[in-house]
Amino acid sequence: MKIFLDTANLEQIKEAVSWGIIDGVTTNPTLCSREKQDFNDLIQSICEKVPGPVSVECVETQAPEIVNEAKKHCQIAENVVVKIPICVEGLKATKELFSEGIHVNTTLVFSPPQALLAAKAGSRYVSPFVGRLDDISSDGLALVEQIIPIFNNFAFETEVIVASIRHPMHVVEAAMMGADIATLPFGSLEKLVKHPLTDKGIERFLDDWEKVKQSMGKKPS
Ligand code: E4P
């Protein structure tokens, strides 16, 4: 399973990339608004740090303008993937961009038919938002569970990015379902590593190692 970081924060990206397990980054206008930096410079800096695709969202609403905006985003760096919200104009733009070899991540996906249409239009990725569905008492992971067999049935190459992740169990369940990618905030990524028994175990081993060091060099009586 590929792990993407869902942030536009350069410090978080630098740190997570140093762990050696980051395959890409997803950004959105909300995440970019939190960084006090020129948008193009920010995306360029992110792309330089990430060894994989970086999703950059389009905010235009009509297909020709979305296509132009997408092409501008792609000029920033080779690893830019354009993120387009699912809608009719977005599908038209996706089809056009697909024909020109530009990778699209269809975002704000909340239903299986939206995912199906995005795949048919040629999206490289679809992003079902599991947390936002859970937030309204729906079942976000059930959506992922529906999308995966639909894509498998017809051998779509579109990859599923499980997005809007709120906690480690979202990642575990998504992995068990065979989702291609999980994109998660830095805080959730940290939680994937942690376990209280691991911390306790390390502490005990270090204490016991001190005893081993003290006994080393002592001659048996
Ligand atoms: C994904 O690409 C989105 O940027 C993100 O996962 C949205 O998450 P949120 O619902 O926590 O804003």
Side-chain angles (χ1 to χ4, degrees):
M1 190 192 212
K2 284 179 259 187
I3 301 282
F4 287 5
L5 201 61
D6 194 31
T7 186
N9 183 276
L10 288 169
E11 286 309 309
Q12 291 179 349
I13 291 168
K14 200 173 146 198
E15 174 60 22
V17 167
S18 78
W19 298 2
I21 43 83
I22 292 300
D23 303 293
V25 160
T26 50
T27 68
N28 64 39
T30 306
L31 295 171
C32 291
S33 74
R34 292 180 192 150
E35 309 306 316
K36 307 294 168 220
Q37 203 179 332
D38 170 79
F39 175 74
N40 286 324
D41 290 348
L42 177 64
I43 298 301
Q44 191 173 5
S45 302
I46 293 173
C47 289
E48 281 166 8
K49 288 187 170 40
V50 178
V54 175
S55 289
V56 183
E57 193 146 340
C58 292
V59 292
E60 293 289 351
T61 54
Q62 298 303 304
E65 285 78 20
I66 297 172
V67 169
N68 284 340
E69 188 186 11
K71 288 181 180 170
K72 279 188 194 142
H73 287 341
C74 289
Q75 279 168 8
I76 300 175
E78 274 187 0
N79 50 340
V80 164
V81 165
V82 290
K83 218 175 180 188
I84 301 177
I86 180 72
C87 59
V88 171
E89 293 301 309
L91 285 173
K92 291 183 203 170
T94 300
K95 187 80 184 171
E96 168 71 24
L97 292 165
F98 172 71
S99 72
E100 297 189 35
I102 292 174
H103 287 180
V104 173
N105 171 2
T106 300
T107 190
L108 289 169
V109 168
F110 291 101
S111 77
Q114 288 181 327
L116 176 63
L117 294 182
K120 281 191 68 70
S123 274
R124 183 77 187 78
Y125 308 95
V126 293
S127 292
F129 276 36
V130 297
R132 291 194 195 184
L133 280 169
D134 289 358
D135 288 346
I136 57 158
S137 306
S138 192
D139 185 348
L141 285 166
L143 170 60
V144 177
E145 204 166 21
Q146 289 174 303
I147 294 173
I148 290 172
I150 291 171
F151 284 5
N152 288 343
N153 285 346
F154 304 104
F156 283 120
E157 287 179 6
T158 310
E159 291 183 79
V160 178
I161 304 181
V162 179
S164 185
I165 281 177
R166 301 270 190 268
H167 51 74
M169 284 315 290
H170 274 151
V171 181
V172 173
E173 297 283 342
M176 287 171 68
M177 287 172 194
D180 303 285
I181 303 155
T183 188
L184 50 158
F186 186 75
S188 297
L189 182 69
E190 282 184 311
K191 286 182 188 156
L192 291 188
V193 187
K194 286 280 181 187
H195 195 289
L197 290 178
T198 306
D199 295 342
K200 214 171 153 187
I202 290 174
E203 201 181 313
R204 183 159 171 196
F205 284 152
L206 289 177
D207 283 350
D208 290 343
W209 181 244
E210 285 305 315
K211 293 174 200 158
V212 173
K213 281 201 303 191
Q214 281 166 20
S215 67
M216 281 195 303
K218 278 190 189 165
K219 292 204 172 107
S221 50

